[in-house]
Structure formats: structure tokens, C-alpha cells
Amino acid sequence: MDMEFSPEDLAFQKEVREFIAENYPAELRGKQDEGDELGKEDFLAWHRILYKKGWVAPAWPVEYGGTGWTPTQRFIFSEETARADCIRLMPFGLAMVGPVIYTFGTPEQKAHFLPRILSGEDWWCQGYSEPGAGSDLASLRTAAVRDGDDYIVNGQKTWTTMAQHADWGFFLVRTDKDAKQQEGISFLLVDMKSPGITVRPIITLGGEHEVNEVWLEDVRVPQSQRVYEENKGWTCAKFLLAHERTGIAGVASSKRGIEKVKEIARTELDGDKPLFANPFFKRKLAELEIDLTALEFTELRSLAGANAGKGPGPESSLLKIKGSEIQQRLTELTLEAVGHYGAPYFRGFGANDLGGDNEHPIGPDYAHRAAPTYFNMRKTTIYGGSNEIQRNIIAKMVLGL
């Protein structure tokens, strides 16, 4: 693969860099690094700016609102937004249910939902995992029973990210309890304001309210909000998960994370020398950077395939495995670099959890999020299909074992 940017690509890079510098909201700049809590409006502020520019959905087909960018341009855009510490756009509408709708949805579903996803008018959540049905997703038990032109849905979902803010959710439900597991599942679009839906918070190890339990009790969902055929929702589910796993790789943000670790290591001391001079620390950092470069080339090959009309395949499992492991190693290295400054922020074990600690933060600003981020990123090798499941997929689909 030719990695040299053409003059056109360099001009595009300059355009993106200048646009971010001129348009990224000042009140959001640096907010993630400082550890400030991000609300729905924080995410939507940048989303709306990119929507107005026409840049909010680079991976979508042009006919549905995509940019028509080349794989290299999409790579450049991802790199530049990460370099500038831009707030990450929520993936549930743009990267997950949107592609499902424009691939499998009816004309009416496309006309109604896609513009609202692009504009940010509808905030989405994902109703996949259940107690007892996580990586073994096909064993889900949430049931939908026909009642005239509607379904009546009962069940429970868990680990539902940002459901407390959601307007809509996409849910996998069982519509035929007698069929084989994967053949009796349907894909429903559910209005989160429907009577019978209860959202309950789950506080993570990092101390954040990011995920939730969602209970559905006699929730009425019109059959017109089912995507694709009844009992064929597993087709949509697999398609969506492949897109999700590709996005989980997080190459651009990890590259920015490595630069931050280098900055910390040049500041923090190991004895009377900068930590960056410690050969053992430098070795771990170099190994991480090499692995990330290899992952970056794999992601570029995947982007090139997508541009040639190929959907994400088994390679998305490889991207998910390596990307999530690199993210965890990066947070471990960051926590090691900040040393004892990270100790007061081990959430889940002190007064900070209850919001009762009003002491001024100890140490440099870059230390405040090291421990909560380390704890939060334990999830990456589990969500989107655990890495153990992804290795099984590679063994079967790639190696033919």
C-alpha cells in the first residue's frame, strides 16, 4: 500500500486541520483530558458542526449523506480529529444502526431515520447484551410477541451505553422461541419514550454513569419499526457487529495516546532522570508503538476494501482484538507513568465516588484521569464480542479450523 500522501491529500489534510482549529467549540477543547464530565450537549455540539459542514458520516454512501472521501481521506480525517483531541462522536447512530438501516431498511425507514441520525436529532442506544447473553448473544431472551400491527416486548438489556440520553434504541428480540437460536431473532427500532421502558444506571469502576440496565415491560412497538424480515435479525446483528468491531480498533486515538505518554514520561522523573530515559519503560513504549503501526496498516487495508465495495469481514475481529488490547496496554503504561499521582483517583474505593470530596486535585492535570481511564478500559476486550469469541471467529472464518 502506497503510504505517501498525494498533493490533493495534503491539501485535504490542511483543510481539515484548519477547519478544526477554527470551528471546534472552545468550551470543549481539552475537556476530555481534564476529566470533566461530558453531557449529551457536549457530544452533540461537535456533531452538529460536522453535520453542517457535511462531514458527519464519512463512511456512509454519498446517496445517504456520506462524504465520498477516499480511504486515505477518511484516514486523514480520523488522524486529525484525534490529534486535536476532538470529542468522539457517538457511534450508535452513525456507525451502527445507520448502516443497518440504509442496507436493510425499507424506503420509509431510510427516509425517516437517516436524516435524523445525520443531524443528531435522534440519539441512539444499543439493546444487545442481556444478563446471561453477552458474548453468547444468540441466547438472548427478550421476547417480542405479535399483537395486531404491533409487537409486545418484554425483557431486560444491560450495559446499554448512554441509554439515559437516548431517544431511540435498536434492540435484538426473540420472535420465535421454537426456532434455532440465531433464526428466531428480529431487529427492532424502539422509541425510548415508550411506556414500559425503565432505564437504571450502572456506575462503572471508573466512577462514571456511562452504562445502564434497560427494562422493557409490555412495550408496544409497531411492526413497521422492524428492520429486515421477521426472525432474520441475526443478519442485521452480524452486519452491525462487524462495523462496531472495526470502529473499536481506535488507531488514531491510540496514536494520540502514545504521544501523551511520551510527554508524561519526559516530565516525570525516575530517580534524577526523566522516566523516558528508563530503558525498560522505553522498551514497553516501543513495543506498543510497533504493534499500533501494524494495526494501522491492517485498518488501512480494511478501509481500502470498503472503498472497493467490500463490507467488513473477519478482519474486523482482528482489528477488535489488537485494538482493544493496545488500548488497555496504553492505559496501563499511562498509569505507570503518572505513578503515585494516580492513587487518589482509584474510583470505587473512596469518598470521590459519592461526590463528597472537594479537595483540590493532587499533582499535574494529566494524572487526574489516569486511574479512572485505566479501570474504564478494562471493558474493551469484552464489549463488541469478547476477544475470546473473536479468536474463535478468526479460527473458523480465516484459518478454516
Side-chain angles (χ1 to χ4, degrees):
M1 178 176 290
D2 183 5
M3 286 301 297
E4 293 295 326
F5 287 162
S6 68
E8 293 78 14
D9 291 331
L10 291 172
F12 176 74
Q13 183 184 51
K14 182 174 182 290
E15 179 187 4
V16 172
R17 193 169 292 183
E18 290 176 350
F19 177 81
I20 293 171
E22 294 170 4
N23 293 277
Y24 194 74
E27 64 273 15
L28 296 185
R29 189 160 301 284
K31 204 169 183 180
Q32 287 170 295
D33 285 343
E34 294 169 5
D36 294 343
E37 184 176 355
L38 300 178
K40 182 176 182 178
E41 287 304 312
D42 292 321
F43 291 102
L44 286 177
W46 183 227
H47 182 121
R48 290 169 181 145
I49 290 169
L50 291 175
Y51 169 68
K52 185 176 180 181
K53 179 68 173 175
W55 287 0
V56 77
W60 285 28
V62 173
E63 60 266 32
Y64 296 120
T67 58
W69 289 344
T70 66
T72 303
Q73 288 174 316
R74 287 167 58 187
F75 171 77
I76 288 171
F77 182 74
S78 179
E79 289 276 302
E80 291 302 317
T81 52
R83 186 190 65 83
D85 286 329
C86 296
I87 288 177
R88 178 176 177 245
L89 299 183
M90 284 290 103
F92 305 105
L94 293 169
M96 296 186 189
V97 75
V100 168
I101 292 172
Y102 68 61
T103 302
F104 299 100
T106 64
E108 294 77 15
Q109 289 169 345
K110 296 175 186 179
H112 177 76
F113 288 108
L114 295 182
R116 297 166 69 93
I117 292 172
L118 290 172
S119 68
E121 185 174 353
D122 287 339
W123 180 288
W124 286 79
C125 66
Q126 179 183 26
Y128 271 31
S129 293
E130 299 180 7
S135 294
D136 183 21
L137 185 59
S139 63
L140 64 89
R141 299 175 62 184
T142 295
V145 178
R146 280 178 177 265
D147 183 43
D149 293 332
D150 299 333
Y151 290 106
I152 305 299
V153 183
N154 284 278
Q156 179 190 0
K157 298 294 182 177
T158 193
W159 311 123
T160 313
T161 303
M162 295 296 179
Q164 71 269 32
H165 300 310
D167 304 298
W168 284 82
F170 50 96
F171 286 74
L172 290 182
V173 299
R174 188 161 300 285
T175 43
D176 186 348
K177 62 183 178 61
D178 297 320
K180 292 181 179 180
Q181 282 190 337
Q182 296 175 352
E183 295 177 3
I185 292 172
S186 297
F187 191 103
L188 298 185
L189 310 178
V190 180
D191 185 343
M192 292 297 288
K193 298 180 291 295
S194 301
I197 293 181
T198 303
V199 177
R200 297 174 183 167
I202 300 174
I203 305 304
T204 67
L205 279 173
E208 302 95 348
H209 176 198
E210 178 184 357
V211 292
N212 304 270
E213 294 178 310
V214 177
W215 296 82
L216 303 101
E217 300 175 86
D218 294 329
V219 176
R220 188 170 290 272
V221 180
Q223 291 186 38
S224 61
Q225 289 168 204
R226 186 193 70 236
V227 179
Y228 201 47
E229 302 173 27
E230 186 175 82
N231 299 325
K232 300 296 182 182
W234 193 250
T235 300
C236 301
K238 291 191 297 181
F239 175 87
L240 185 149
L241 284 169
H243 281 77
E244 179 184 7
R245 289 163 187 160
T246 302
I248 287 172
V251 171
S253 59
S254 290
K255 288 177 69 175
R256 176 62 181 135
I258 285 179
E259 292 305 312
K260 290 179 182 178
V261 172
K262 289 179 179 178
E263 294 168 11
I264 295 170
R266 291 187 180 104
T267 303
E268 293 297 314
L269 295 178
D270 177 32
D272 58 352
K273 295 180 180 180
L275 178 61
F276 197 72
N278 182 304
F280 298 103
F281 186 86
K282 287 183 72 173
R283 184 191 68 192
K284 285 187 281 188
L285 186 59
E287 290 172 347
L288 184 60
E289 199 161 10
I290 290 168
D291 286 349
L292 182 58
T293 300
L295 181 67
E296 182 178 21
F297 276 89
T298 304
E299 183 180 55
L300 285 169
R301 286 195 296 270
S302 179
L303 282 173
N307 200 54
K310 300 176 182 177
E315 71 273 10
S316 64
S317 293
L318 176 60
L319 288 168
K320 196 273 179 178
I321 292 169
K322 295 302 295 185
S324 59
E325 290 177 349
I326 285 170
Q327 290 164 28
Q328 290 186 346
R329 288 163 59 193
L330 181 57
T331 62
E332 291 168 7
L333 208 56
T334 304
L335 190 58
E336 179 180 341
V338 303
H340 58 272
Y341 287 130
Y345 308 100
F346 273 62
R347 295 259 181 142
F349 303 100
N352 281 344
D353 315 332
L354 304 178
D357 190 344
N358 62 359
E359 292 293 326
H360 190 274
I362 298 171
D365 289 344
Y366 56 67
H368 303 162
R369 290 294 303 165
T373 302
Y374 165 82
F375 283 120
N376 187 275
M377 296 303 280
R378 300 306 93 194
K379 67 189 179 186
T380 61
T381 51
I382 302 172
Y383 67 34
S386 72
N387 284 12
E388 291 78 9
I389 295 294
Q390 302 316 307
R391 288 185 171 91
N392 287 343
I393 291 172
I394 292 171
K396 180 179 180 181
M397 303 298 294
V398 178
L399 303 178
L401 300 178

